[in-house]
Amino acid sequence: MRATAIHAPFDIRVEDVPDAAIRQPGDAVVRVVRACICGSDLWAYRGEAAREPGQRIGHEFLGVVEETGSEVSGLTAGDLVVAPFMWSDGVCEYCADGLTTSCVHGGFWGSVGSDGGQGEAVRVPFADATLVKLPAEALSDDRLLSALLALSDVMGTGHHAAIGAGVGPGTTVAVVGDGAVGLCGVLAAKRLGAERIIALGRHTARTDIARTFGATDVVAERGEAAVAAVRDLTRGQGAHAVIEAVGTEQSMRTAVGITRDGGAIGYVGVPHGSGTGLDLGEMFNRNIALRGGVAPVRSYIPELLPDILSGAIDPSPVFDHAVGLEGVPGGYKAMDERTALKVIVKL
């Protein structure tokens, strides 16, 4: 089959690899229908996250079950399914607590020895626990497929940040980061009843999406100027809930600076750089809470799926550029150069 592999920084190739196949009785093989490129994939692309030459890449996909192992009972060939960005067994203590990303038998698509999502097919371990069945009729609805694909990562991750930040009815929310996760954080905050949502971003095409998703204000400044602008909008106090969706030292400093005393930061930006920007003394003195991390999106899919199917939320606008599988290397280049927000791969 054909699949995407990374060989070195800026060296993404689509090449022939062994076919995805059943290895364990709980496995399924899924033929990929939609995949995408994640902003976190860019750290490997740029050489800022280590990968072995030839390692698979891509962790967001949905598709059709082609084959199941002998112990798979909840899925059959022909089912349309979405996969969260990590597999999990569904029965360990962490899974029971909803923290599927800490599953003792879990793993990440594209890790060494596993299939990546940016390929023609994927072997899925613990298929019954990992995959979520979707309505078959979604296969004929291109927009709905895009919205459902967001459940594999960015919609659930934005929701995780909103939950961590304590978003609820009547709250003022600020979102640091205008990438796909930050935009989904805006959508999640609106869904959870936020009264005011301040989106921090300087790219008009992205902040336009933020407004569509529910942002009431946009702040284009960065650093101390952004902190001042958010405080001007909030009577000098800052936001009750702040979503941090970038992961740099500057973005975290901004997040702390715009949080209201007694508020919380939900952080889901993958940390990178030399520091975190956290001043624990300031956070202690101002009673600022910090919650977040790797989003257990498998636990959120059952809650978010009905709202996507009903049209109550529609994250599909975060996908602004489409390629076929052979066009994936160009998709990475487009995202790296910021000429694309998030690239969807149609197979």
Side-chain angles (χ1 to χ4, degrees), residues 3-329:
T4 306
I6 182 167
H7 287 264
F10 305 101
D11 185 2
I12 297 285
R13 307 177 196 174
V14 180
E15 54 195 19
D16 292 329
V17 301
D19 288 341
I22 301 293
R23 296 183 191 171
Q24 300 292 333
D27 291 353
V29 172
V30 174
R31 174 177 57 82
V32 176
V33 174
R34 293 288 186 275
C36 53
I37 301 171
C38 184
S40 64
D41 292 331
L42 295 180
W43 302 123
Y45 181 69
R46 294 166 179 160
E48 298 180 33
R51 294 292 187 274
E52 292 187 2
Q55 187 174 336
R56 305 287 181 80
I57 196 166
H59 55 263
E60 301 158 282
F61 67 95
L62 60 75
V64 176
V65 175
E66 285 201 329
E67 185 182 1
T68 59
S70 60
E71 293 181 2
V72 176
S73 60
L75 299 165
T76 59
D79 286 343
L80 180 65
V81 292
V82 62
F85 63 79
M86 294 183 71
W87 69 79
S88 53
D89 64 18
V91 296
C92 75
E93 290 187 12
Y94 290 113
C95 287
D97 289 340
L99 193 63
T100 52
T101 48
S102 291
C103 175
V104 296
H105 298 116
F108 194 85
W109 312 116
S111 57
V112 175
S114 72
D115 295 321
Q118 296 161 15
E120 290 183 321
V122 176
R123 179 185 75 89
V124 178
F126 305 105
D128 277 331
T130 298
L131 298 172
V132 178
K133 191 174 176 180
L134 303 172
E137 55 268 26
L139 265 176
S140 60
D141 186 331
D142 190 63
R143 182 208 59 79
L144 181 56
L145 280 179
S146 297
L148 292 169
L149 177 61
L151 288 172
S152 66
D153 187 344
V154 290
M155 188 64 233
T157 298
H159 178 72
H160 186 57
I163 294 294
V167 176
T171 52
T172 293
V173 181
V175 180
V176 181
D178 60 3
V181 170
L183 294 173
C184 285
V186 171
L187 191 58
K190 178 69 173 178
R191 176 181 176 274
L192 291 170
E195 181 177 301
R196 190 174 192 184
I197 304 172
I198 304 166
L200 280 68
R202 56 174 53 191
H203 303 89
T204 303
R206 300 182 180 198
T207 55
D208 285 348
I209 296 173
R211 290 189 184 277
T212 300
F213 282 0
T216 55
D217 304 272
V218 170
V219 168
E221 291 84 359
R222 301 182 71 179
E224 291 302 316
V227 173
V230 172
R231 291 195 170 272
D232 283 345
L233 290 170
T234 56
R235 297 180 290 112
Q237 294 184 349
H240 301 99
V242 174
I243 290 172
E244 194 286 313
V246 182
T248 63
E249 183 168 351
Q250 177 179 296
S251 65
M252 188 61 82
R253 288 189 185 277
T254 298
V256 172
I258 64 178
T259 303
R260 184 179 186 269
D261 287 16
I265 300 167
Y267 73 108
V268 291
V270 178
H272 51 277
S274 60
T276 63
L278 286 177
D279 182 339
L280 291 180
E282 180 182 1
M283 296 179 70
F284 179 86
N285 291 334
R286 296 175 53 212
N287 280 281
I288 293 175
L290 180 68
R291 308 183 192 95
V294 185
V297 299
R298 177 61 182 84
S299 296
Y300 296 136
I301 292 174
E303 176 183 351
L304 298 172
L305 176 58
D307 280 1
I308 288 183
L309 293 176
S310 71
I313 58 173
D314 177 14
S316 65
V318 302
F319 299 105
D320 64 341
H321 185 66
V323 297
L325 182 58
E326 301 298 328
V328 166

